[in-house]
Amino acid sequence: MLKKTILGASLTALLSLPAMAGECPSDQVLETARPLTVGQGPGYDGRVAATIDLTGWRDMGNFMLRTRTLTIPPRGVVAEHTHDDRPAIVHIIAGELVEHNAFCAEPIVHKAGDTIPEFGAGHRHWWENPTDQPVMATSSDVVPFEAANDDNM
């Protein structure tokens, strides 16, 4: 019961935070999604740090809350993916990532200490590490159990 209370309070607090990361400048926000051209480079390492089974909690279906530690190597990329139906929060621990978002006309720079909420209809993007240093980040998301090992999830 205590875990559920802590989880609920933590999720509520995180989801109600104002944006803390680099954002798309208001004059660069697009009303219609643009096509994205994904850069080339090595992929990333996303190790699962912990999961919580949400099945049955507050009428949830077969879902888990998953936190991963991500390492994006120098010149590495995280392939294009969506967050239409997968809420996530990414926190940059070290380094700098550039986000290419379908609804922003220019790349968005995220630096160490930034926290990025990812969710909503049409939320499509990809990330790159344009630097010579690896980027360390955490990513927490809600995923169905059957997709837990899908690299695009």
Side-chain angles (χ1 to χ4, degrees), residues 3 24-25 30 34 39 44 46-47 54 70 75 77 84 86 91 98 105-106 115 119 126 129 136 142-143 149 152:
K3 283 184 184 178
C24 185
L30 304 174
R34 68 181 174 97
Y44 69 97
R47 298 178 192 266
L54 299 176
L70 307 177
R75 310 284 181 244
V77 298
D84 290 338
R86 182 174 59 94
H91 180 75
V98 175
E106 66 181 39
T115 300
F119 185 54
W126 68 278
N129 174 2
M136 301 297 296
V142 177
V143 294
N149 294 318
N152 291 319

Side-chain angles (χ1 to χ4, degrees), residues 7-21 50 64-70 81-83 85-93 97 99 110 113-120 123 125 127 136-143 153:
L7 172 63
S10 297
L11 284 174
T12 300
L14 285 172
L15 294 175
S16 64
L17 288 174
M20 298 171 61
M64 73 169 77
L65 174 62
R66 171 184 67 177
T67 295
R68 294 178 291 166
T69 56
L70 307 177
H81 59 281
T82 66
H83 290 276
D85 193 29
R86 182 174 59 94
I89 298 172
V90 173
H91 180 75
I92 310 297
I93 297 167
L97 282 176
E99 176 186 4
H110 300 284
D114 287 351
T115 300
I116 306 102
E118 305 176 319
F119 185 54
H123 188 109
H125 64 170
W127 299 82
M136 301 297 296
T138 59
S139 174
S140 295
D141 55 2
V142 177
V143 294
M153 288 290 272

Side-chain angles (χ1 to χ4, degrees), residues 34-40 77-80 100-102 124-128:
R34 68 181 174 97
L36 296 174
T37 302
V38 179
Q40 299 297 311
V77 298
V78 176
E80 182 178 334
H100 299 272
N101 190 302
R124 185 170 43 87
H125 64 170
W126 68 278
W127 299 82
E128 70 175 316

